Amino acid sequence: MDRREALRNVAILLGTAISAGTTDVLFSSYTLPESEKNAVTFSAEQIKTLTEIADVIIPTTKSSAGAKAAGVGKFIPMMVNDCYPAKQQQSFYNGLTAFEARAKKEYGKSFALIPLAERKKMLTVLRQETLDQKTNKLPEKVDIAYFFTTVRDLTSLGYFSSEIGCTKAREYVQIPGSYDGAYPLKPGQKSWAT
């Protein structure tokens, strides 16, 4: 089973929590040409920003660790580079750049360095702008709205397909054995259902 197939299964379990755009990328029957992979390069600062965004979306609770502990910050750029066509990779990257520029303009520093209350405020404003754009209440800000929708979707997918998401945030029955997220399957073998 490849990564795209595994994530399709997670997307089905999450139901309508995933946007149509992300569902389209995951359910597309094509393989991304090698020439379109890694169309953009994410800096260490951008990965840190993605990590902090994901951790605001799915924070640590009493019962389970959050998105940061699950490694979602590194999962997001990997998925964008490996699964999204070059044009969508560029749109996501442009949106991330615009979002980071907004943080620096409003707070004088990177999103990853501002206090949690301001992070939540920025993401709440961006969420509302994305919703308003979709209902034609704001001028089009395609890249930043696409960025928000994609980062939200990939945070959910990354978290709920991680060991923490599968074993701590959800009920988990340890059958047939311990959790192994990279367990090799024989060609044609069905995946384990737990």
Side-chain angles (χ1 to χ4, degrees):
M1 176 185 296
D2 66 1
R3 182 181 319 133
R4 190 182 296 252
E5 180 65 28
L7 291 172
R8 277 187 203 136
N9 294 337
V10 172
I12 289 168
L13 292 173
L14 291 174
T16 59
I18 304 298
S19 72
T22 300
T23 302
D24 181 51
V25 168
L26 294 176
F27 283 88
S28 294
S29 60
Y30 66 88
T31 301
L32 191 64
E34 287 298 319
S35 63
E36 289 203 25
K37 289 186 178 183
N38 300 309
V40 296
T41 303
F42 295 93
S43 69
E45 182 180 349
Q46 289 171 321
I47 292 171
K48 186 170 175 70
T49 295
L50 292 170
T51 299
E52 296 304 327
I53 291 170
D55 210 51
V56 170
I57 294 170
I58 302 179
T60 297
T61 64
K62 288 186 225 175
S63 61
S64 68
K68 186 188 293 189
V72 174
K74 291 181 181 178
F75 173 84
I76 294 169
M78 184 245 341
M79 286 299 296
V80 169
N81 281 329
D82 287 355
C83 298
Y84 287 73
K87 184 177 177 182
Q88 290 173 289
Q89 289 179 45
Q90 191 62 55
S91 183
F92 180 86
Y93 185 85
N94 293 346
L96 172 58
T97 302
F99 180 74
E100 189 65 7
R102 183 183 291 185
K104 288 178 181 174
K105 181 180 178 186
E106 290 180 23
Y107 300 102
K109 49 188 151 185
S110 171
F111 177 84
L113 300 176
I114 63 176
L116 180 60
E118 279 75 19
R119 289 182 201 169
K120 288 179 180 180
K121 181 180 174 186
M122 278 194 73
L123 287 175
T124 300
V125 168
L126 182 56
R127 177 185 176 274
Q128 190 58 53
E129 286 177 4
T130 302
L131 291 172
D132 290 345
Q133 179 195 329
K134 289 182 180 185
T135 57
N136 298 318
K137 292 181 182 175
L138 280 181
E140 247 184 298
K141 295 180 181 177
V142 175
D143 291 337
I144 199 161
Y146 179 74
F147 161 74
F148 176 76
T149 303
T150 305
V151 79
R152 180 201 62 203
D153 292 351
L154 291 178
T155 296
S156 293
L157 282 174
Y159 183 74
F160 289 108
S161 61
S162 72
E163 181 177 359
I164 290 170
C166 288
T167 63
K168 304 293 183 212
R170 302 242 183 211
E171 287 296 322
Y172 176 73
V173 179
Q174 206 170 359
I175 299 172
S178 63
Y179 179 86
D180 182 359
Y183 188 80
L185 299 175
K186 296 176 183 148
Q189 179 183 351
K190 290 182 180 179
S191 62
W192 293 103
T194 56

